[in-house]
Amino acid sequence: MEEILALVEARLRNALGEPDARAAVTFLGTDRIEVLRFLDGDVVRYATLGMSAQPMADPTSPLADPVKGPRAELVLSVRVGLADTDQVLRPLAVLAASPQVEGVIVAPGASLDLGDPLWPSAPFSSVLVAEPGGLVEDLELDGPMDPVRFLPLLPMTSNEAAWKRVRGAQELQERWLSHGTDLRDPLRNSVTLD
Protein backbone atom coordinates (compact mmCIF):
# COMPACT_ATOMS: atom_id res chain seq x y z
CA MET A 1 0.00 0.00 0.00
CA GLU A 2 2.73 2.49 0.96
CA GLU A 3 4.62 1.60 -2.21
CA ILE A 4 1.57 2.35 -4.38
CA LEU A 5 0.95 5.68 -2.64
CA ALA A 6 4.60 6.69 -3.11
CA LEU A 7 4.25 6.01 -6.86
CA VAL A 8 0.95 7.93 -6.97
CA GLU A 9 2.47 10.94 -5.20
CA ALA A 10 5.45 10.86 -7.58
CA ARG A 11 3.06 10.85 -10.57
CA LEU A 12 1.13 13.82 -9.12
CA ARG A 13 4.35 15.77 -8.51
CA ASN A 14 5.58 14.99 -12.01
CA ALA A 15 2.34 16.25 -13.57
CA LEU A 16 1.43 19.13 -11.23
CA GLY A 17 4.68 20.22 -9.56
CA GLU A 18 5.43 20.43 -5.87
CA PRO A 19 2.41 20.65 -3.55
CA ASP A 20 2.35 23.83 -1.47
CA ALA A 21 0.08 22.34 1.21
CA ARG A 22 -1.33 19.00 2.32
CA ALA A 23 -3.87 17.83 4.85
CA ALA A 24 -4.76 14.37 6.14
CA VAL A 25 -8.16 13.07 7.21
CA THR A 26 -8.95 9.70 8.76
CA PHE A 27 -12.49 8.42 9.10
CA LEU A 28 -13.43 5.64 11.50
CA GLY A 29 -12.75 2.29 9.84
CA THR A 30 -10.94 3.70 6.80
CA ASP A 31 -7.39 4.28 5.66
CA ARG A 32 -5.97 7.80 5.87
CA ILE A 33 -6.76 10.10 2.96
CA GLU A 34 -4.52 13.06 2.19
CA VAL A 35 -5.39 16.03 0.00
CA LEU A 36 -2.51 17.83 -1.71
CA ARG A 37 -2.80 21.38 -3.02
CA PHE A 38 -0.92 22.52 -6.13
CA LEU A 39 -0.81 26.12 -7.36
CA ASP A 40 -0.57 26.64 -11.10
CA GLY A 41 -0.83 30.35 -11.98
CA ASP A 42 -4.42 31.42 -11.35
CA VAL A 43 -5.62 27.83 -10.83
CA VAL A 44 -5.37 25.72 -7.69
CA ARG A 45 -5.59 21.96 -7.97
CA TYR A 46 -6.54 19.64 -5.14
CA ALA A 47 -5.61 15.96 -5.50
CA THR A 48 -6.43 13.10 -3.16
CA LEU A 49 -3.78 10.62 -2.05
CA GLY A 50 -4.87 7.38 -0.41
CA MET A 51 -8.01 6.38 -2.31
CA SER A 52 -5.91 4.17 -4.63
CA ALA A 53 -4.25 2.23 -1.81
CA GLN A 54 -6.98 -0.42 -2.08
CA PRO A 55 -8.91 -1.43 -5.20
CA MET A 56 -12.56 -0.41 -5.34
CA ALA A 57 -14.82 -3.43 -4.92
CA ASP A 58 -18.14 -4.23 -6.55
CA PRO A 59 -20.72 -3.69 -3.79
CA THR A 60 -22.67 -6.76 -4.99
CA SER A 61 -19.66 -9.07 -4.67
CA PRO A 62 -19.57 -11.16 -1.47
CA LEU A 63 -15.76 -10.88 -1.22
CA ALA A 64 -13.55 -7.93 -2.10
CA ASP A 65 -10.43 -8.80 -4.10
CA PRO A 66 -7.42 -7.27 -2.26
CA VAL A 67 -5.39 -6.95 -5.49
CA LYS A 68 -7.57 -6.62 -8.59
CA GLY A 69 -10.14 -3.90 -9.18
CA PRO A 70 -10.25 -0.27 -10.26
CA ARG A 71 -8.04 2.24 -8.43
CA ALA A 72 -8.37 6.01 -8.58
CA GLU A 73 -7.53 9.37 -7.08
CA LEU A 74 -9.60 12.55 -7.46
CA VAL A 75 -8.45 15.91 -8.86
CA LEU A 76 -10.38 19.19 -8.55
CA SER A 77 -9.25 22.39 -10.32
CA VAL A 78 -10.63 25.87 -9.47
CA ARG A 79 -9.61 29.49 -9.96
CA VAL A 80 -7.62 31.04 -7.12
CA GLY A 81 -8.82 33.91 -4.95
CA LEU A 82 -12.53 33.99 -5.80
CA ALA A 83 -13.76 31.81 -2.92
CA ASP A 84 -12.44 30.02 0.16
CA THR A 85 -11.86 26.83 -1.79
CA ASP A 86 -9.27 25.49 0.68
CA GLN A 87 -12.28 24.42 2.77
CA VAL A 88 -12.82 21.68 0.14
CA LEU A 89 -10.13 19.50 1.74
CA ARG A 90 -12.46 17.58 4.07
CA PRO A 91 -15.28 17.18 1.48
CA LEU A 92 -12.73 15.83 -1.02
CA ALA A 93 -11.45 13.36 1.57
CA VAL A 94 -15.07 12.26 2.19
CA LEU A 95 -15.52 11.61 -1.53
CA ALA A 96 -12.21 9.72 -1.70
CA ALA A 97 -13.23 7.55 1.26
CA SER A 98 -16.63 6.67 -0.25
CA PRO A 99 -15.41 3.41 -1.89
CA GLN A 100 -14.26 2.16 1.53
CA VAL A 101 -17.21 3.53 3.50
CA GLU A 102 -20.09 2.97 1.08
CA GLY A 103 -18.67 0.26 -1.17
CA VAL A 104 -19.14 2.30 -4.34
CA ILE A 105 -16.99 2.28 -7.46
CA VAL A 106 -16.13 5.82 -8.54
CA ALA A 107 -15.96 5.95 -12.34
CA PRO A 108 -16.31 8.52 -15.15
CA GLY A 109 -19.91 9.68 -15.59
CA ALA A 110 -20.80 9.14 -11.94
CA SER A 111 -22.20 11.83 -9.68
CA LEU A 112 -20.92 12.19 -6.13
CA ASP A 113 -23.13 14.20 -3.79
CA LEU A 114 -22.04 15.59 -0.43
CA GLY A 115 -25.35 17.12 0.60
CA ASP A 116 -23.43 20.21 1.76
CA PRO A 117 -21.53 22.90 -0.19
CA LEU A 118 -18.05 21.90 -1.37
CA TRP A 119 -16.71 25.01 0.42
CA PRO A 120 -18.45 27.86 2.32
CA SER A 121 -21.11 29.55 0.15
CA ALA A 122 -20.29 27.30 -2.83
CA PRO A 123 -23.17 26.90 -5.30
CA PHE A 124 -22.12 23.23 -5.63
CA SER A 125 -22.81 20.25 -3.37
CA SER A 126 -22.03 17.54 -5.93
CA VAL A 127 -19.50 16.77 -8.62
CA LEU A 128 -19.46 14.97 -11.94
CA VAL A 129 -16.60 12.50 -12.36
CA ALA A 130 -14.96 13.20 -15.73
CA GLU A 131 -12.76 11.07 -17.97
CA PRO A 132 -9.13 10.64 -16.83
CA GLY A 133 -5.95 11.04 -18.83
CA GLY A 134 -5.87 14.74 -19.62
CA LEU A 135 -4.11 16.40 -16.70
CA VAL A 136 -2.47 13.41 -15.00
CA GLU A 137 -1.79 10.21 -16.95
CA ASP A 138 -2.86 6.84 -15.58
CA LEU A 139 -0.25 5.13 -13.41
CA GLU A 140 0.41 1.55 -14.52
CA LEU A 141 1.03 -0.90 -11.66
CA ASP A 142 2.50 -4.40 -11.74
CA GLY A 143 -0.05 -7.01 -12.84
CA PRO A 144 -2.56 -8.18 -11.91
CA MET A 145 -3.25 -4.77 -10.33
CA ASP A 146 -5.32 -2.29 -12.31
CA PRO A 147 -3.75 1.11 -13.11
CA VAL A 148 -4.44 4.12 -10.92
CA ARG A 149 -6.66 6.59 -12.79
CA PHE A 150 -6.68 10.29 -11.86
CA LEU A 151 -10.32 11.36 -12.16
CA PRO A 152 -11.13 15.06 -12.66
CA LEU A 153 -14.10 16.34 -10.65
CA LEU A 154 -16.43 18.94 -12.20
CA PRO A 155 -18.58 20.81 -9.64
CA MET A 156 -22.32 20.76 -10.37
CA THR A 157 -25.11 23.00 -9.11
CA SER A 158 -28.21 21.23 -7.78
CA ASN A 159 -30.06 22.04 -11.03
CA GLU A 160 -27.24 20.61 -13.12
CA ALA A 161 -27.11 17.47 -10.96
CA ALA A 162 -30.87 16.96 -11.37
CA TRP A 163 -30.61 17.54 -15.13
CA LYS A 164 -27.70 15.08 -15.34
CA ARG A 165 -29.77 12.39 -13.56
CA VAL A 166 -32.43 12.71 -16.28
CA ARG A 167 -30.31 13.42 -19.39
CA GLY A 168 -26.96 11.82 -18.52
CA ALA A 169 -23.39 13.00 -18.05
CA GLN A 170 -22.62 13.31 -21.76
CA GLU A 171 -25.49 15.73 -22.39
CA LEU A 172 -24.55 17.87 -19.39
CA GLN A 173 -20.95 18.09 -20.58
CA GLU A 174 -22.12 19.01 -24.07
CA ARG A 175 -24.35 21.72 -22.55
CA TRP A 176 -21.39 23.15 -20.61
CA LEU A 177 -19.25 23.10 -23.75
CA SER A 178 -21.85 24.72 -26.02
CA HIS A 179 -22.37 27.55 -23.48
CA GLY A 180 -18.64 28.10 -22.88
CA THR A 181 -19.04 27.35 -19.16
CA ASP A 182 -15.92 28.02 -17.08
CA LEU A 183 -15.97 24.89 -14.90
CA ARG A 184 -13.05 26.24 -12.85
CA ASP A 185 -15.03 29.29 -11.69
CA PRO A 186 -15.86 28.58 -8.01
CA LEU A 187 -18.73 31.10 -8.11
CA ARG A 188 -20.30 30.27 -11.47
CA ASN A 189 -24.04 30.04 -11.99
CA SER A 190 -25.84 27.02 -13.33
CA VAL A 191 -25.66 26.60 -17.10
CA THR A 192 -28.92 27.32 -18.94
CA LEU A 193 -31.00 24.14 -18.92
CA ASP A 194 -34.21 23.43 -20.82
Side-chain angles (χ1 to χ4, degrees):
M1 181 174 91
E2 295 298 322
E3 197 175 298
I4 291 171
L5 294 184
L7 291 170
V8 168
E9 184 168 352
R11 175 60 52 96
L12 286 168
R13 287 172 184 265
N14 187 48
L16 305 176
E18 286 298 311
D20 72 330
R22 65 193 310 146
V25 180
T26 304
F27 302 100
L28 187 62
T30 67
D31 295 326
R32 180 171 113 147
I33 303 287
E34 288 189 83
V35 179
L36 284 62
R37 184 179 75 177
F38 301 86
L39 283 175
D40 181 13
D42 68 340
V43 174
V44 61
R45 302 185 198 287
Y46 302 95
T48 63
L49 179 63
M51 181 178 172
S52 62
Q54 304 294 331
M56 292 180 270
D58 183 342
T60 62
S61 176
L63 292 173
D65 190 315
V67 177
K68 291 193 286 185
R71 295 176 189 261
E73 296 291 352
L74 308 175
V75 181
L76 174 70
S77 300
V78 291
R79 299 221 178 278
V80 174
L82 301 175
D84 188 11
T85 57
D86 280 349
Q87 298 299 314
V88 78
L89 300 178
R90 184 169 179 78
L92 267 183
V94 167
L95 296 177
S98 63
Q100 289 182 56
V101 175
E102 299 172 27
V104 296
I105 293 179
V106 177
S111 299
L112 302 175
D113 194 341
L114 287 160
D116 290 314
L118 288 174
W119 51 82
S121 303
F124 321 104
S125 61
S126 61
V127 293
L128 175 65
V129 181
E131 290 290 334
L135 190 60
V136 184
E137 289 183 29
D138 292 354
L139 172 64
E140 296 294 330
L141 300 174
D142 293 336
M145 292 186 285
D146 289 17
V148 177
R149 302 174 84 198
F150 297 88
L151 302 172
L153 299 180
L154 308 175
M156 293 188 293
T157 66
S158 57
N159 286 345
E160 290 167 342
W163 202 79
K164 183 257 176 195
R165 281 191 292 277
V166 174
R167 300 284 190 96
Q170 184 65 36
E171 283 201 35
L172 178 58
Q173 289 178 305
E174 287 171 7
R175 179 61 55 117
W176 282 334
L177 189 60
S178 68
H179 283 78
T181 306
D182 181 1
L183 296 173
R184 294 178 180 167
D185 181 351
L187 302 174
R188 74 172 179 83
N189 293 321
S190 183
V191 70
T192 303
L193 304 167
D194 49 27

